Amino acid sequence: MVLTGPGKGKTTAALGAALRASGQGLRVVMLQFIKARRTGEMKAAALLPRVIIKTLGLGLIKGRPVSARDRRRAGQAWAEASRTAVAGDCDLLILDEICVALKYGLLDFGEVTVFLRSKPASLHIILTGRDCPEDLLALADTVTHLENVKHHLAAGIKAQPGIEY
């Protein structure tokens, strides 16, 4: 499953799937490739049984050059994703902002597609992030493109705890 597009709510939609999966007894691991700060959804997910979120990125890249540290952290997140899938540690693996990591060249696209094509059949995967590559969209069973019709941030209203993070 891919959640992409310029609109808000990709991570939130993935967390909705995590909530539903947890309620059905599935084990969920979310690995965040870009995000760095502790958000409200992370605090709430810590209260859910069988849901683990690991924030492995350094924060937003837009407007700053990609660093060797960004690449190293993305590589660590990717290694964690591979280990998690091979070990069978979860039923739903959410790779949050992986599309952004691919866009900025933090991960090898070929390696990601090989992983997705060879994953265990029982493992569900959700990829999130803007600008998902067309080849990944083609691999997905479900693609949702989120687009803002109107958003209060564009009107100058600041991000609010519990609403945006």
Side-chain angles (χ1 to χ4, degrees):
M1 179 181 295
V2 174
L3 301 168
T4 192
K8 299 288 185 186
K10 296 173 284 292
T11 298
T12 303
L15 286 163
L19 175 68
R20 184 171 44 247
S22 175
Q24 293 292 346
L26 301 179
R27 298 163 300 153
V28 179
V29 173
M30 174 186 262
L31 303 174
Q32 295 187 306
F33 281 78
I34 303 295
K35 294 175 181 157
R37 70 189 217 191
R38 188 153 167 78
T39 60
E41 53 264 56
M42 288 181 64
K43 294 173 188 175
L47 304 173
L48 295 173
R50 298 172 295 281
V51 175
I52 296 168
I53 298 178
K54 295 182 181 180
T55 301
L56 303 165
L58 297 175
L60 294 175
I61 295 173
K62 189 176 180 180
R64 73 170 171 82
V66 172
S67 70
R69 195 165 165 230
D70 287 315
R71 292 183 199 290
R72 188 169 50 257
R73 293 294 292 268
Q76 290 168 345
W78 182 246
E80 179 80 15
S82 300
R83 275 193 305 275
T84 299
V86 169
D89 289 343
C90 67
D91 305 296
L92 172 59
L93 177 61
I94 301 170
L95 303 177
D96 188 41
E97 303 288 358
I98 192 169
C99 298
V100 176
L102 287 165
K103 176 184 177 177
Y104 285 100
L106 301 179
L107 299 172
D108 180 83
F109 181 78
E111 192 175 332
V112 172
T113 57
V114 166
F115 170 82
L116 293 171
R117 289 175 200 252
S118 63
K119 73 169 189 65
S122 61
L123 177 62
H124 302 279
I125 297 179
I126 298 176
L127 311 176
T128 76
R130 295 172 186 257
D131 304 315
C132 185
E134 290 293 325
D135 290 347
L136 284 186
L137 297 177
L139 281 177
D141 297 319
T142 302
V143 176
T144 301
H145 187 206
L146 289 92
E147 189 169 329
N148 291 333
V149 173
K150 184 177 184 179
H151 199 286
H152 62 269
L153 291 176
I157 298 171
K158 292 184 180 185
Q160 301 162 67
I163 303 301
E164 277 79 40
Y165 60 92

